[in-house]
């Protein structure tokens, strides 16, 4: 009887110890996930948030942004406007842009193209913005937005491009 009782106590102790250890590891793993990982916002939620922000402040810092087609449930195509910064070669001009957010946005930077002709080192002959030449786009992170890209482009207009001679007003 004593052997049986001792055996049961040993089994109970082993079970209790094993259970506690397993629970402890689970708790640590959960805690590690909370601290190490970050919340991933679904693509459409992020795009809806960007649209709402753009509609609340339609001409933030000389920039406007909106959906090209409100029936586009995937929100792929956007229109933007950059007002030429004062005191630069871009002054008194309104630049129209197209933005395409593919299925990988916001993990991948959007594709931005000028509709209005512009002369900038970061824009190719077809009007497409070179991601590698706009700092905010070359260091892309999913928590950045289209508005961040547009502000980066406008910043280039104020910075090193400020005196670059501009072509006559026309479209690509």
């Amino acid at each position: 009887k004593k052997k049986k009782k001792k055996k049961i106590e040993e089994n109970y102790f082993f079970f209790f110890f094993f259970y506690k250890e397993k629970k402890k590891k689970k708790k640590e793993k959960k805690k590690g996930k909370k601290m190490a990982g970050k919340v991933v916002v679904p693509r459409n939620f992020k795009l809806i948030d960007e649209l709402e922000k753009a509609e609340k402040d339609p001409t933030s810092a000389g920039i406007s942004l909106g959906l090209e087609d409100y029936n586009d449930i995937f929100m792929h195509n956007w229109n933007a406007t950059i007002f030429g910064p004062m005191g630069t070669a871009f002054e008194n001009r309104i630049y129209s842009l197209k933005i395409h957010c593919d299925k990988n946005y916001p993990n991948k930077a959007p594709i931005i193209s000028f509709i209005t002709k512009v002369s900038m080192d970061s824009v190719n002959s077809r009007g497409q913005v070179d991601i590698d030449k706009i700092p905010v786009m070359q260091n892309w992170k999913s928590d950045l937005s289209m508005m961040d890209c547009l502000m980066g482009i406008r910043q280039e207009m104020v910075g090193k491009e400020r005196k670059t001679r501009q072509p006559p007003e026309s479209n690509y």
Side-chain angles (χ1 to χ4, degrees):
K1 244 183 174 177
K2 277 188 175 182
K3 282 185 180 182
K4 262 190 178 180
K5 192 176 180 182
K6 193 173 185 181
K7 185 97 168 159
I8 290 170
E9 286 175 358
E10 286 174 358
N11 285 345
Y12 179 77
F13 175 77
F14 176 76
F15 174 77
F16 182 76
F17 178 78
F18 181 77
Y19 178 76
K20 275 275 207 198
E21 281 298 306
K22 193 173 183 180
K23 201 171 181 179
K24 187 177 175 184
K25 284 182 183 178
K26 218 177 198 181
K27 195 174 184 179
E28 287 173 356
K29 193 174 182 182
K30 216 178 205 182
K31 190 176 180 182
K33 278 184 183 175
K34 282 182 185 174
M35 295 179 84
K38 65 179 187 177
V39 177
V40 177
V41 177
R43 178 186 181 279
N44 280 8
F45 286 12
K46 177 161 177 55
L47 289 170
I48 288 169
D49 183 52
E50 289 190 46
L51 180 61
E52 286 175 355
K53 286 178 182 174
E55 287 175 344
K56 284 180 185 173
D57 191 8
T59 55
S60 174
I63 299 169
S64 68
L65 174 69
L67 265 175
E68 182 177 291
D69 178 10
Y70 280 87
N71 293 322
D72 178 10
I73 61 171
F74 298 108
M75 296 182 270
H76 287 296
N77 299 308
W78 296 69
N79 291 321
T81 305
I82 296 178
F83 299 97
M86 300 298 279
T88 68
F90 305 94
E91 179 175 45
N92 297 324
R93 289 191 180 196
I94 299 172
Y95 295 92
S96 298
L97 299 92
K98 290 187 300 186
I99 302 175
H100 180 76
C101 298
D102 67 12
K103 65 181 182 181
N104 297 316
Y105 182 85
N107 298 321
K108 182 180 160 200
I111 298 165
I112 302 177
S113 300
F114 276 84
I115 296 170
T116 310
K117 278 197 176 182
V118 66
S119 180
M120 292 176 68
D121 289 339
S122 55
V123 179
N124 69 21
S125 60
R126 294 182 320 270
Q128 192 166 355
V129 175
D130 184 349
I131 291 172
D132 296 327
K133 293 185 178 176
I134 304 291
V136 73
M137 293 177 80
Q138 55 182 207
N139 300 317
W140 185 257
K141 294 179 189 135
S142 62
D143 59 338
L144 294 171
S145 67
M146 289 180 276
M147 193 61 86
D148 293 322
C149 294
L150 294 169
M151 286 192 284
I153 293 168
R154 193 164 195 274
Q155 192 61 41
E156 289 291 307
M157 291 175 164
V158 173
K160 65 180 181 180
E161 300 279 353
R162 71 179 296 117
K163 295 188 182 198
T164 303
R165 190 177 160 104
Q166 294 303 302
E169 289 188 45
S170 64
N171 293 341
Y172 283 100

